[in-house]
Amino acid sequence: MRHALLGLAENTALPPELIDQLIATADADVAEAVACRSDLSRVQVAALSRFEGAAIRLAHEGRLTADDVDPVAQPRVALALLEERSGRPEWARLLAADPLVETREKLAACPGLPHDVMQTLGSDPDVRVVAELALWAPADIAGELAAHSHADVRRSVAANEGTPATVLASLLTGDGLPSARSCVVCDREPVPFVHDPSCERSDCSLPPGASCDGSHESAAQEIQQMALRNPAAPVDAVVGFVSHPSTLMRVELAARTDLPAQVYAQLAEDPIPWVRATLADNPSISENLIRTLATDRGHDVQRRLAHHPELPLDVLSDVAGNTRIGPVLLPRIASASGAEVTALAASAIPAVRMLLAQRRDLSPEIRDALADDPDAKVVKSVAPHPGLSEAQLRAMVTRHGARVLAKVAVNPDATAQLLEDLAQHRPPVQKAFREIARHPSATAVALLACLDDRQARPLAARHPALPLSAIVELLHDEDWQVVEAAAANPSLPLAAMRELIP
């Protein structure tokens, strides 16, 4: 019954009087589901706000205001309004003294806090609160916290894009800052300590491999890693990491878009494929370096290079023919000119035509040519393209059968009769059932066939074209997902809706 109520809570056809009844009998989970509705009246919103979870959601969506909330009785709801910049400054001062660490930690992440509140949170006795503040604090507060005695706070400062560049440089080099006195490892374990990556202790939350010999070495490396990832870190402070012994550091460097050409060239010769693969789709590398990486057989290098927005099309053809990219619209193909699209459509490499077929703005002539392609993966890629006729879609299935069936079912112009025929295809195609069950043109006949597939069954149960008797019967299904979907079906009879509410 509970899953039926959760589904009913999102049913778009539920009339206002039944929404009222559902709210009156709701538990916390059902109330939160009802709170997701866009058709709630002001009175219904007020009634739901007695549930904390529902009130938090309503606050985030702007349907509760500061006048509706008592920060003493509902501190988490007050926090939600502060997160949306809709709370009151005095709430922040009140919550900064809350005895619950979780409340102060959430407050520290709120934007636009008064300066005195940030100063209070910055001296909080729990390092989790200070670390959360350091992650979002403005430049002046972040600069102060960079010298904090705990390494976790410094890590947050290093990740904060508002941290001044000079401070980030100090975090990278260690110059100008006092040494950290503690880290998450030596807080919990006697040093020296190295956390076993296969640790089986249920109460242990240390990261795999975390270590401290008194110098907080793993925490210090995390600080540098976060600073390298931070786009505000100055170039002259990061380039020295190009030869760092840690692969993680060089990977972070390879992702930066502000490095000198010679640094990118050095990274392209890195012995670790992960570094070179990260460099491969960096939009700031030169065409010469792109062509160099195009010959790199290291793991994932060519696949990631295919996603480079400035990839020359001749290089794309080589890469597509040599690596599995998958059916995805690549940036360079998305930006191809009309003349380039024509050239790509005429490529002798099926993988190139398949990638082009991912575009949904092709001219009818090119779309139709790809629909008649002899290669099944090209046809599979173009099959969802709008504008294809029923005859073309049927021809695809005739030529290529089960290999293209599911993608034909995705096509927005697939007719009701075609979907029925696809649902009756032998041998059946499981993925096709899921797509048919989602399709707005699916008929009762097609949907009933989809009910026999375990994964398609919840999708079909939600479809408004499913026969009413079947929807009602599915309210008693053994699968809770099916029950929830049937209760959410807008075609569910009003009498059945009434029966579901206690």
Side-chain angles (χ1 to χ4, degrees), residues 327-344:
V328 60
L329 181 58
L330 297 176
R332 183 62 183 89
I333 286 182
S335 65
S337 67
E340 289 172 333
V341 166
T342 300
L344 290 167

Side-chain angles (χ1 to χ4, degrees), residues 393 406-416 418-419 422 432-443 446-447 450 459 463-465:
L393 295 172
K407 291 300 183 181
V408 169
V410 173
N411 192 289
D413 299 318
T415 64
L418 174 59
L419 293 171
L422 296 178
F433 286 127
R434 299 196 288 275
E435 300 303 340
I436 294 167
R438 291 188 183 99
H439 202 290
S441 298
T443 64
L447 292 167
C450 292
L459 299 169
H463 200 293

